[in-house]
C-alpha cells in the first residue's frame, strides 16, 4: 500500500514540476512549488513507513512548518516588488 | 522500491536543473531552485540522513529562496539573453569530460572495499552509539565526531548572514536619504 502511495506521489511530483516549467503565469509556478513542497512532506512520511522508520514523521512535520515561507516571500515580492516592510515601500514609492 | 525512488528523484532533479538553465523569468527560476532543494532533501531522506535533509530544506528551500527573491527584487526580474562564447563553451565541455573521466577511477557506489567504508566508517558504526549516545549514525558523525567542523560551518553561515544584512541596510539608508 505504501508502495502504491509512493508511486502516486512521484507522479504528482512530476506533474507539479511540469506546471512549474510551463507556467504560464507566476501564480502557476508558485502554486507548483507549494504543491511540490506538500508532496515532499508526504513522500518523507511514506518513505519512513516504507523503510520501517516512522520517526521520519518528525522531519516531515518540520518540512510542513518551513514549507510556506518561500511561497509567502515569493508572493510578497511579486505583489510589492520589495521584500522589506510594506510601509517603507510606500514611502519610497512602489515600482510596478 | 528504494532504488526506483532514487532513480525517479534523480530524474526529476536533472529535469529541474535543465529547467533552471532554460527559463528566463528569474522569479520562476527561484521557485524551481526551491523545488531542486526539496528534491535533494528527499534524496537525503532516502539515504537515511534526516538531519542533513532538514538543513538542506531549511537553508535551500527556506533561507536561500528568500535571499534570492530579495536579490531579484533589488535587481531585475528577467535574465538577459547571454551571448554564445565558443571559448567558454569549450572550457566547460572539457572540464565536464575530465570530471566524468575522473569518476571512472572511483570505487562503485556502496562498494565494501571503498576507502570510505574501511577507514573510520566501521568504528563509527560499531562504537558510535556507545561513544555518543545518538541513535542515528549520520547525526552522531555530524554533531559529535565532526562537531568542530559543524561549528565552523555555523560561523561561516552566520557571517554570511550578517554580511547580507549589512548590504541590505546600507542600501535602504541610501534610499531614505535620496527620498528626503
Amino acid at each position: 500500500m505504501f508502495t502504491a502511495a509512493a508511486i502516486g506521489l512521484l507522479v504528482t511530483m512530476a506533474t507539479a514540476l511540469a506546471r512549474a516549467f510551463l507556467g504560464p503565469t507566476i501564480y502557476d509556478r508558485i502554486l507548483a512549488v507549494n504543491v511540490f513542497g506538500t508532496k515532499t512532506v508526504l513522500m518523507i512520511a511514506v518513505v519512513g513507513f516504507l523503510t520501517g522508520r516512522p520517526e521520519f514523521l518528525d522531519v516531515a512535520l518540520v518540512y510542513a512548518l518551513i514549507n510556506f515561507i518561500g511561497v509567502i516571500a515569493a508572493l510578497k515580492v511579486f505583489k510589492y516588488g520589495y521584500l522589506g516592510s510594506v510601509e517603507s515601500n510606500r514611502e519610497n514609492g512602489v515600482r510596478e | 522500491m528504494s532504488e526506483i525512488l532514487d532513480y525517479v528523484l534523480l530524474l526529476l532533479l536533472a529535469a529541474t536543473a535543465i529547467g533552471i538553465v532554460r527559463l528566463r523569468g528569474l522569479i520562476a527560476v527561484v521557485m524551481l531552485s526551491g523545488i531542486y532543494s526539496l528534491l535533494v532533501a528527499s534524496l537525503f531522506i532516502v539515504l537515511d540522513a534526516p538531519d542533513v535533509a532538514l538543513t538542506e530544506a531549511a537553508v535551500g528551500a527556506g533561507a536561500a529562496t528568500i535571499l534570492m527573491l530579495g536579490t531579484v527584487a533589488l535587481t531585475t526580474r528577467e535574465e538577459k539573453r547571454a551571448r554564445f562564447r565558443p571559448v567558454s563553451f569549450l572550457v566547460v565541455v572539457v572540464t565536464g569530460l575530465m570530471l566524468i573521466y575522473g569518476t571512472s577511477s572511483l570505487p562503485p557506489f556502496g562498494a565494501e572495499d571503498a576507502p570510505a567504508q574501511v577507514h573510520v566508517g566501521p568504528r563509527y558504526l560499531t562504537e558510535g552509539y556507545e561513544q555518543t549516545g545518538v541513535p542515528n549514525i549520520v547525526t552522531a558523525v555530524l554533531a559529535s565526531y565532526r562537531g568542530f567542523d559543524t561549528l565552523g560551518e555555523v560561523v561561516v553561515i552566520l557571517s554570511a548572514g550578517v554580511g547580507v544584512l549589512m548590504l541590505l541596510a546600507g542600501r535602504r539608508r541610501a534610499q531614505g536619504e535620496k527620498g528626503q
Side-chain angles (χ1 to χ4, degrees), chain B residues 70-120:
Chain B
T71 316
V72 168
L74 292 178
T75 54
T76 174
R77 285 188 192 175
E78 282 293 321
E79 185 184 348
K80 288 200 188 81
R81 194 161 284 279
R83 213 153 42 81
F84 180 76
R85 293 165 200 266
V87 180
S88 319
F89 181 72
L90 198 72
V91 169
V92 169
V93 168
V94 168
T95 314
L97 286 177
M98 278 164 67
L99 285 173
I100 292 171
Y101 173 72
T103 57
S104 64
S105 63
L106 287 176
F109 180 72
E112 272 177 32
D113 54 346
Q117 254 79 302
V118 294
H119 182 46
V120 286

Side-chain angles (χ1 to χ4, degrees), chain B residues 142-176:
Chain B
L142 266 185
S144 182
Y145 289 114
R146 296 184 193 160
F148 281 113
D149 192 31
T150 309
L151 184 68
E153 283 167 19
V154 172
V155 170
V156 168
I157 291 170
L158 178 72
S159 39
V162 169
V164 169
L165 280 179
M166 282 170 75
L167 276 175
L168 291 178
R171 189 182 180 277
R172 196 172 300 164
R173 199 171 303 134
Q175 239 183 15

Side-chain angles (χ1 to χ4, degrees), chain B residues 38-84:
Chain B
L38 284 171
L39 276 168
V40 173
S42 314
L43 272 172
F44 286 148
I45 286 281
V46 176
L47 290 171
D48 200 12
D51 298 86
V52 188
L54 265 186
T55 317
E56 175 61 39
V59 174
T65 304
I66 292 168
L67 283 181
M68 283 194 282
L69 278 172
T71 316
V72 168
L74 292 178
T75 54
T76 174
R77 285 188 192 175
E78 282 293 321
E79 185 184 348
K80 288 200 188 81
R81 194 161 284 279
R83 213 153 42 81
F84 180 76

